[in-house]
Amino acid sequence: MRLKFRIVTSYINRGIHPTSTSTSKFRAAHDHRRNIYSTARKNPNKPSGNMPETTTLTGDKFDRQPFEALLKRRFFYTESFEIYRTAPGFKGDNRGLFDYGPPGCALQANIIDLWRKHFVLEEEMLELDCTAITPEDVFKTSGHVDKFADWMCKDPVKGEYLRADHLVENVLEARLMGDKKARGEAAKPVEVEDPANAKKKKIKVKDVGNVKLDDAMVEEYETILAKIEDCDGPDLAALIEKYDIRNPDGNGKVNPPIPFNLMFKSTIGPSAAAPVYLRPETAQGQFLNFRKLLEYNNNSMPFASASIGKSYRNEISPRSGLLRVREFLMAEVEHFVDPESGKKHARFEEIKDVKLSLLDRETQLSGKSTPKTVSIGEAVSSKMVDNETLGYFLARIQAFLLKVGVDPKKLRFRQHLANEMAHYACDCWDAELQTSYGWIECVGCADRSAYDLTVHSKRTGESLEVREHRREPLRIEEWQATLDKKKLGPKFRKDAKAVEGAVEALDQDTLESLAKELQEKAVISIPTAEMSDGKTQVELGQDLITIARNTRVETVRNYTPNVIEPSFGIGRILYSVLEQVYWHRPGDEARGILSLPIGVAPTKVLLVPLSNTSSFPPVIRKLGQRLRSIGISSRVDDSSASIGKRYSRNDELGTPLGITVDFDTLKDGSITLRERDSTKQVRASEDEVVEAVKSLVEGAETWEDVTKRLPEFLGQTGDE
Amino acid sequence: MRLKFRIVTSYINRGIHPTSTSTSKFRAAHDHRRNIYSTARKNPNKPSGNMPETTTLTGDKFDRQPFEALLKRRFFYTESFEIYRTAPGFKGDNRGLFDYGPPGCALQANIIDLWRKHFVLEEEMLELDCTAITPEDVFKTSGHVDKFADWMCKDPVKGEYLRADHLVENVLEARLMGDKKARGEAAKPVEVEDPANAKKKKIKVKDVGNVKLDDAMVEEYETILAKIEDCDGPDLAALIEKYDIRNPDGNGKVNPPIPFNLMFKSTIGPSAAAPVYLRPETAQGQFLNFRKLLEYNNNSMPFASASIGKSYRNEISPRSGLLRVREFLMAEVEHFVDPESGKKHARFEEIKDVKLSLLDRETQLSGKSTPKTVSIGEAVSSKMVDNETLGYFLARIQAFLLKVGVDPKKLRFRQHLANEMAHYACDCWDAELQTSYGWIECVGCADRSAYDLTVHSKRTGESLEVREHRREPLRIEEWQATLDKKKLGPKFRKDAKAVEGAVEALDQDTLESLAKELQEKAVISIPTAEMSDGKTQVELGQDLITIARNTRVETVRNYTPNVIEPSFGIGRILYSVLEQVYWHRPGDEARGILSLPIGVAPTKVLLVPLSNTSSFPPVIRKLGQRLRSIGISSRVDDSSASIGKRYSRNDELGTPLGITVDFDTLKDGSITLRERDSTKQVRASEDEVVEAVKSLVEGAETWEDVTKRLPEFLGQTGDE
């Protein structure tokens, strides 16, 4: 068995990222990409002994059960095709597919809207909307057809397919648990796939035997688990063989791992002869349109394109809710730069004092996990972050994440270790968000170099280069061969072209030695394509050819741009933010709150009539119209539930503000305005309240400002 | 040969919609749906003799060539994977796939944003985002797996596939053209598919022979062409046989038509055993979530859900640019109503005076094509439009289309003829936009009744009904059979359950006659499942059973809602609007303008420095930031092109406003503001101009208002 990586520390390996000495360029680059969206690095379900417990916004212990119940109850999202799952005779597979309900959908739309403003409009990026359906040739060129795969094993008896790394992981985890049990130590249940039910289930302590392992074996297992994500097929095959790893469902032997391509395949057109794939990333569409983008940008560099759209990955075993799914929304930027000058960024000055929490390479290699808090200016000047362009994007990514509600204490940027990166990349950082599943990679900021543009250009024969007029012409001294064309034709007739081609094909070194030879012998011999007399060699004398060292002046420079790619997994960000803004009223787990920032909250204002008196609905309707006319979304809750219950329901939906219409409203036109987090209320005229709502939504005022201006309402608040 | 439709008039049939007596519920309902998005009814490429020429916004003759060149030049959209099309050895099929470039993408985003505000927020609809990947079972239930197909023929020699109706059409058109040529009449070239090149080509007059047809034959051909879209497979087979229709490419005989399902198929999960399809509409995801939506809406009816997302149809022969494509953006509303009260609409009063251009059934049947302009209130009260709910949506659809820039003179609502509709529908109207391809169905407003909810509920066993407490309990008089359970057990022992079941299964009519029999004979015999003694009949005497007429009181009412579905093809709307807002400067075809409304224009403001003087960029940058901070998108054009050229470029992009910074700006801070359509300019301070831009974007002022307030600028405008 060959494990191809060096050991770092248990923390780094178990909780976060294994390191690898894998040298395959594609694997390195694309494993990275895969992990952004659909595969959390390291099984995110596995509780890590070293990882601190997750806490809620108010510092209570985070409990996933009531949190998930809240999301389900309020229809943030749901398993797609749920009613089919239990339908008689249903043989489909709906795992890893999720539908967003009204609040989830509004939250997603608001995050996207913010993303578009923050990146596309602010940076004048060129947004594209490309198709998901993609001809096979494109992904052959990019390398996805051959390499975008996971390893899986078949259990030939059960007919089940298991993701090979998960299989090894689950079995070794269960054995370690059995060992702990035998030693009388506390063991935690572990979630694993149950292929028979296409559902997650827990390996519980009671399910495993009491088998004590010797200490060396425990260490061996732990070492393997730490590095499992970096094993390729042969590594996994060796592990399965050596440790006699079997399908936990039935204990049957499994076949050796085979690669399973993660792209969904179909065919297009009536003949079914043209294979297509659903894109696993939006990037390729942007690369293929590079020439048109450059023209649109008046041939001026640098510039960035951007795309927001669905991508698809046929995961072998989707899990962890929204964190590893088969259809997901991405937002990607491709920032094209001149490889010579692209390390500088024109707007770096504006963000250089922004402080980031950076878990750099050096810290990780020393076995520590505490990030350094430094300004991005310092980080770039000390070379911790490779260059200004990368640094600029890290700061902009942080600003975006904070706007959508990320807790700054639960955000870090982790640098890729040297052997995690593709060989061409100079530096790569991921924005990771802390959740109950561990630190989740939500944004990747990678350097794709000129790889994609180069391979597509080569395949299609279309230039994807920038053609730039040099400010100062470049003078190149070089050997030049010149044929006397007047004599060439008559002498070689139909072979003249072949001779010309042969001369053109000569490189500088050859020309140099031929020049010497020509001077010495007055004739040279060069290889050609087969000529009419069958020869593949031609002799040229001084009468026909001259070879001299000349100076050529180039006024134009052609280059293929490098690409910096900040790439956002919107579903992952959405889920992580929901976890991070969740808390509950002190001492009452049943009263959950999602403290979403007002800018992304699904609904800004809840409108509540105090009771079902018939005088209230017209007032509420008018108020709703007034708010909509200034672009503020509201929602009426005129159900018969108590006012307290209606508030609680909307605290769970993350609605930041609530307006109540009561009997005093009918008398004096005053209404109350309630704030979600504090449950405090103020009372004022409709005009004043609408004005306050507007300035809160626009961010011109805080709730504290409003409470200073408007009188507090101490009547029945419904929150007691 | 059997042609299954009645003749209406040549105009109706040729230019617009054929009628059909096809009785298949599914075909009727789903043909309608298909045509909304991807198949324009009637070959839209075919110039119709009866159809008036399309004109530009200013009444000039519309010429598609310079218009399409403009869209391509300004990168509104492009064929996807264009650089692969000419790549050596590329065997893929990229037809019907389009990427939107920066202005197209921004225009699309603005249309969607407006749609969300106009429908989702204004009407408090429940927006969902469901997956495109769908298990096969779902589309088996909905009928799409069996019926969502077009007819196609294979040319066995060439190995080409041809859409059968297009084949017949192309061949007969060519013969008619040959006839015209022989008669010395003017003939127009016709675009047809060229399967060999996967490209459109024109049948030119010179390509067809001079074959004079007799007059009866000309009429026969024209009659067939008028009704071709309504032919099913056997009809088309008969036509191909009777008229010896062959593949124009090589003149080979073709095989009889076979159905080709238009959904893209793939498999999910590692075993490849679970087939999935890409959705051809977003509707099914909304139906499957009905129960959760109802709960989210506090179990209150009526309500609407909405979805915006990509759908996919594997068209046999995509054509007409964005009008028939394989991947497209839809926005769909499913408005769920109580079938008893759903014809009324709470907000109908608000829109009842809105005037619509209605091409009703009666007008079409009388062979005319002039729509009636009536208020929707009148249309509903005269029963031209079936009910308030449908009428409400028609008015709202019109309001939306006008906001995005539709020319009211090029908008009409066409009612489906009785035999175009599914049998359950009471009324259906399409919003059609006039373009150079004819009247294009861009929004369908269909009544899907309870069909989808019913079939999914039946298949899954999950209730998709509304359970409503009756205000007044319903009293139902009915026959009831009561078994004396004390005696039943001891007498029948293990067969007791079978006897009970048999009694429960009796219907009202049977019970009535059994009651009589029991009274007369004191004993009755009823059929059962096989009992332990092998008998399938049981005798029950008066001691065991009583049958009486009782009154049952129902306090709850269960019903499956009906669904009204306004369904928008965003790409079709986008393309049609672009055509409708296109014009050119008088006498100068090369200077095109897209007069997009400011609300949907890709960029609101162009920022132009007069020259490349280094003092200008900081001013421009600050101005851009200032505009962004108030949510207004701008774009800088600091290229070296003349100012006139830069304005023209942005007229083509539909940018409504332009700000120029010149040398006077550096002196006194004043800037000029130019309006796209009039090319008029005003000059004022930066504050005043920004304020004017804001009020123009918000719609608070018109350009005319602004010119009255701010002084006209008569300096060098760049537009001369």
Side-chain angles (χ1 to χ4, degrees), chain B residues 150-410:
Chain B
D150 273 344
W151 295 94
M152 69 172 183
C153 296
K154 186 177 181 178
D155 174 339
V157 177
K158 289 260 175 187
E160 287 164 3
Y161 294 84
L162 302 138
R163 198 172 132 174
D165 54 345
H166 291 177
L167 169 65
V168 173
E169 212 167 37
N170 292 338
V171 170
L172 298 189
E173 288 278 7
R175 289 185 193 167
L176 285 173
M177 206 194 290
D179 172 68
K180 281 198 171 166
K181 204 172 148 192
R183 289 169 192 246
E185 291 170 21
K188 280 186 188 173
V190 180
E191 271 184 3
V192 298
E193 300 300 304
D194 179 357
N197 293 318
K199 264 251 183 200
K200 285 181 294 189
K201 72 168 187 186
K202 284 198 172 175
I203 301 183
K204 297 203 184 104
V205 180
K206 68 175 172 53
D207 300 334
V208 295
N210 293 12
V211 183
K212 194 159 179 294
L213 305 169
D214 67 39
D215 290 356
M217 192 62 100
V218 169
E219 211 186 312
E220 211 171 310
Y221 280 9
E222 283 185 339
T223 308
I224 294 164
L225 285 168
K227 296 176 247 170
I228 192 75
E229 293 260 321
D230 241 32
C231 293
D232 64 10
D235 296 339
L236 292 164
L239 289 168
I240 290 167
E241 178 72 23
K242 177 167 178 190
Y243 296 103
D244 188 27
I245 285 169
R246 293 155 181 253
N247 186 356
D249 176 24
N251 208 35
K253 284 218 175 220
V254 298
N255 293 346
I258 51 167
F260 173 71
N261 193 292
L262 297 174
M263 291 193 292
F264 286 96
K265 189 172 188 174
S266 188
T267 59
I268 198 167
S271 72
V276 289
Y277 290 95
L278 296 183
R279 65 180 178 198
E281 59 174 12
T282 73
Q284 300 302 325
Q286 299 182 60
F287 298 137
L288 295 183
N289 281 303
F290 175 72
R291 175 137 302 283
K292 290 198 181 76
L293 288 165
L294 181 64
E295 272 165 30
Y296 183 81
N297 206 45
N298 298 328
N299 292 308
S300 150
M301 287 284 291
F303 72 89
S305 61
S307 273
I308 302 163
K310 295 278 168 78
S311 292
Y312 300 84
R313 295 178 187 182
N314 193 6
E315 294 290 338
I316 296 170
S317 56
R319 50 179 157 173
S320 312
L322 295 186
L323 298 181
R324 193 192 306 141
V325 294
R326 286 168 165 167
E327 176 169 343
F328 52 95
L329 190 64
M330 288 175 104
E332 292 190 299
V333 172
E334 309 296 334
H335 181 71
F336 298 97
V337 298
D338 181 339
E340 283 181 12
S341 60
K343 288 173 187 280
K344 289 277 168 201
H345 194 286
R347 296 180 72 175
F348 187 72
E349 199 55 26
E350 295 173 30
I351 52 85
K352 73 177 192 331
D353 296 327
V354 171
K355 286 200 173 352
L356 303 180
S357 177
L358 299 171
L359 182 58
D360 67 338
R361 197 174 291 155
E362 192 188 302
T363 307
Q364 294 173 68
L365 289 172
S366 72
K368 301 208 180 82
S369 63
T370 312
K372 295 169 181 158
T373 303
V374 286
S375 76
I376 191 67
E378 282 172 65
V380 169
S381 61
S382 71
K383 281 279 152 201
M384 189 201 292
V385 169
D386 185 76
N387 62 68
E388 284 188 3
T389 301
L390 200 55
Y392 180 76
F393 278 112
L394 296 187
R396 295 284 298 153
I397 289 166
Q398 167 162 297
F400 169 74
L401 291 173
L402 297 181
K403 273 188 200 166
V404 300
V406 163
D407 181 345
K409 294 187 299 295
K410 293 179 177 174

Side-chain angles (χ1 to χ4, degrees), chain A residues 389-405:
Chain A
T389 302
L390 202 55
Y392 179 76
F393 279 112
L394 298 186
R396 295 284 298 153
I397 289 166
Q398 167 163 298
F400 169 74
L401 292 173
L402 297 181
K403 273 188 200 166
V404 300

